Amino acid sequence: MHLRPKQMEIPVDNESYPMKKRKQSNPESMVEVQPLLPSHFTIFSSRRTSPLCAFAASILFIYICGISFYLWSSNFACRLRNLGDSTPIPLSKQAFDVEQKGRYIVIKNYIRSAIRVDEKNTMTFATAAIFTDLSHLPEICGRWKGPMSVSVYAPGSDFKTALKKIFSLRLANSCIHQNVTWHLYFDIEFSPSWDQFKSPEEEAELVSPTSTTYDVWAKGTFKSHGHLPFPANVGRNVAIKESRTEYILASDLHYYPSINIIPRFLQLLKYQGPTGNRVYVLPVFKMAGYGKPPETKSELVQMTAEGNIVLHTGTLDCTQCNIFPNARKWLEVRSPDETLSVYYVSREKEEFESWQPYYISTRDIPLFDEDQIKEGKFDRKLQLFELCLQHYEFHILDNAFLVQVQEVAETAKDVNILENFVRHNNEAREKKIEDLLCRYGSDTGCSI
């Protein structure tokens, strides 16, 4: 005869159940207490679940635990825990190089474009500027629609100001954020504190405010107040060499390109084959006043007839620099705006004497002379002289062009300082010409 254990009676109480009733239990009676949940609520009850299903559920449970542990111990879990943190991820974690070039320090690829460059199916707009020129960038980027390599000369307090301007442009304009890679350079004696080099955001004081070494000028720039020259050729060479595409357009930010140049130019290359020693010139025009520059040749011709566009004869330092061969006839040649071809090939040495064109070239083209400075005049001339010595052909495009817009006027420099800059360029140019003639020979027909 089997004896059934005596059941413990649980008294009924109208008050909330059951915590205060447990105080009446002792260790001996607890073994006789019925479970709080009926047996049919058991997770792996044999009456409800087969052994195979129980085994599968166990495996699933172990798998979920393993994944949870992995996520918790990985960087992904750390990022999930920090979703509420507003501190930006430092861009300095991306690769950039610091290099000394003469009296200048260059930070190459300091802030990279968000989109990886398709090296074979596009080309790069390469330029050098000071931060006051960057207001032109949104319009140029929208027209170019491709990678851009921009070097910004930013000595002293201009460095921090330039970074703030760059971040402002990146936040406000998706084209700039996606396509523009930035390089910054400055004089060694007016450089940031390199013993405690920071990320771009920290240098721009976007993370935490820090004191600046140099005064921030209410008007003008550190460059203008210090009467510093603009070493544009240093920045141009950096922008060209750090480009990732085979072809580049080396230009300035106050020259707006016509639209859809990249796809039409790449199509032109398919018909022409290997380029050899040749460059592709974009004729230069100038806005007669303010307004929206033309985007196509049809608009250019119409605005020229209305007097809103003029044939750009040159700049303040070179009155004949932008007059290209057969310029008047170029306006008369009409072809569909979606096409691109070569209008004229310049091989005559005499045409290079005063001409300083802007052109598309391969990235391995002879670089600009870095001893030449912008304010000293004719700072691009030595490169063109070397192209002539190497027998380059200048292929003028018929349906692509540049339009110069109004430049941002810098604080006027002292006349004596400007004369010193011109004297510096002339002396450095004469020395470089001698070196080039020794290398290529003096009987070339090229002049400068």
Side-chain angles (χ1 to χ4, degrees):
M1 181 175 179
H2 299 282
L3 296 177
R4 179 179 297 179
K6 184 179 180 180
Q7 299 285 338
M8 184 183 72
E9 296 182 0
I10 301 177
V12 178
D13 195 338
N14 293 331
E15 296 182 30
S16 59
Y17 172 63
M19 293 304 298
K20 70 178 184 178
K21 298 298 181 181
R22 273 194 188 179
K23 294 180 180 179
Q24 302 174 0
S25 303
N26 54 58
E28 289 78 14
S29 62
M30 287 182 65
V31 296
E32 298 181 326
V33 176
Q34 291 184 353
L36 294 178
L37 293 176
S39 60
H40 63 271
F41 284 124
T42 306
I43 297 177
F44 299 119
S45 172
S46 59
R47 291 186 296 174
R48 291 282 181 175
T49 309
S50 66
L52 182 61
C53 291
F55 177 78
S58 301
I59 295 297
L60 179 61
F61 178 76
I62 295 173
Y63 177 79
I64 293 174
C65 290
I67 292 295
S68 300
F69 177 78
Y70 169 77
L71 293 179
W72 178 260
S73 61
S74 65
N75 290 334
F76 179 74
C78 295
R79 293 176 184 176
L80 288 179
R81 292 197 300 272
N82 292 328
L83 280 179
D85 189 358
S86 60
T87 304
I89 299 174
L91 295 176
S92 59
K93 290 186 177 181
Q94 303 181 25
F96 63 84
D97 299 318
V98 179
E99 176 186 355
Q100 180 176 344
K101 294 176 70 67
R103 55 177 290 189
Y104 303 101
I105 295 292
V106 181
I107 316 177
K108 299 182 291 187
N109 303 306
Y110 195 31
I111 304 174
R112 291 182 180 269
S113 61
I115 295 180
R116 186 178 181 86
V117 176
D118 185 358
E119 300 179 6
K120 296 183 178 180
N121 296 314
T122 188
M123 61 182 180
T124 303
F125 185 103
T127 188
I130 57 178
F131 75 85
T132 54
D133 295 329
L134 299 182
S135 57
H136 297 294
L137 201 57
E139 178 68 20
I140 294 177
C141 188
R143 290 166 173 254
W144 185 250
K145 295 187 184 302
M148 301 183 69
S149 181
V150 180
S151 299
V152 180
Y153 175 59
S157 60
D158 289 351
F159 182 80
K160 216 175 283 287
T161 308
L163 280 176
K164 291 180 179 179
K165 179 69 173 178
I166 290 170
F167 279 111
S168 175
L169 289 170
R170 283 170 57 89
L171 289 173
N173 190 286
S174 60
C175 179
I176 293 176
H177 175 75
Q178 294 172 356
N179 294 293
V180 180
T181 294
W182 302 87
H183 326 281
L184 276 78
Y185 64 111
F186 37 79
D187 308 71
I188 295 176
E189 59 265 39
F190 303 122
S191 64
S193 178
W194 289 104
D195 57 336
Q196 295 179 344
F197 184 66
K198 304 180 182 70
S199 69
E201 298 95 332
E202 291 173 317
E203 290 291 350
E205 296 183 351
L206 298 181
V207 178
S208 59
T210 57
S211 60
T212 177
T213 306
Y214 304 102
D215 293 330
V216 179
W217 304 98
K219 293 184 179 180
T221 63
F222 182 92
K223 170 188 174 299
S224 62
H225 281 273
H227 301 291
L228 301 175
F230 177 25
N233 285 348
V234 175
R236 287 170 179 149
N237 289 344
V238 171
I240 291 172
K241 289 190 290 186
E242 294 305 313
S243 300
R244 293 293 175 261
T245 57
E246 182 180 1
Y247 288 90
I248 57 100
L249 168 62
S251 184
D252 293 330
L253 286 186
H254 50 276
Y255 288 86
Y256 288 17
S258 53
I259 62 172
N260 298 326
I261 290 179
I262 295 177
R264 292 184 294 148
F265 178 76
L266 295 178
Q267 188 67 26
L268 173 65
L269 291 180
K270 292 181 180 179
Y271 292 107
Q272 285 205 335
T275 58
N277 283 8
R278 73 176 67 153
V279 295
Y280 297 87
V281 177
L282 278 69
V284 177
F285 297 83
K286 184 178 181 180
M287 293 289 293
Y290 294 94
K292 183 180 180 181
E295 296 181 340
T296 64
K297 187 173 182 178
S298 298
E299 293 180 4
L300 176 73
V301 172
Q302 180 179 351
M303 293 180 68
T304 302
E306 295 171 351
N308 297 321
I309 292 288
V310 295
L311 184 61
H312 193 19
T313 57
T315 59
L316 293 176
D317 63 342
C318 179
T319 57
Q320 303 294 318
C321 287
N322 289 320
I323 296 181
F324 60 96
N326 299 319
R328 296 294 177 184
K329 291 183 179 179
W330 184 91
L331 289 169
E332 301 173 0
V333 175
R334 305 297 297 274
S335 56
D337 289 332
E338 62 272 11
T339 64
L340 187 64
S341 58
V342 174
Y343 157 70
Y344 176 78
V345 178
S346 174
R347 300 185 180 91
E348 298 297 328
K349 308 294 185 182
E350 294 80 8
E351 294 174 342
F352 300 139
E353 291 185 12
S354 59
W355 191 23
Q356 290 192 53
Y358 292 94
Y359 44 77
I360 297 170
S361 68
T362 56
R363 192 176 55 184
D364 59 357
I365 194 170
L367 295 174
F368 295 94
D369 185 77
E370 296 183 356
D371 288 332
Q372 302 287 294
I373 54 179
K374 183 76 171 178
E375 291 82 356
K377 300 183 179 182
F378 306 105
D379 61 324
R380 298 186 296 120
K381 191 65 178 174
L382 277 172
Q383 190 220 30
L384 293 162
F385 181 63
E386 187 169 0
L387 295 184
C388 179
L389 294 174
Q390 293 189 19
H391 308 290
Y392 267 74
E393 296 178 352
F394 287 69
H395 291 228
I396 302 174
L397 299 174
D398 69 338
N399 236 356
F401 55 88
L402 297 171
V403 178
Q404 185 189 22
V405 297
Q406 300 293 332
E407 300 183 49
V408 177
E410 244 197 321
T411 304
K413 289 186 174 65
D414 184 88
V415 174
N416 293 328
I417 295 176
L418 291 176
E419 290 179 352
N420 289 335
F421 291 157
V422 173
R423 188 180 306 111
H424 165 84
N425 269 16
N426 290 339
E427 293 174 356
R429 191 181 301 117
E430 290 178 3
K431 182 179 180 181
K432 185 61 180 288
I433 289 174
E434 293 178 2
D435 295 339
L436 291 174
L437 292 178
C438 289
R439 187 190 311 172
Y440 295 103
S442 57
D443 189 17
T444 61
C446 298
S447 60
I448 187 172

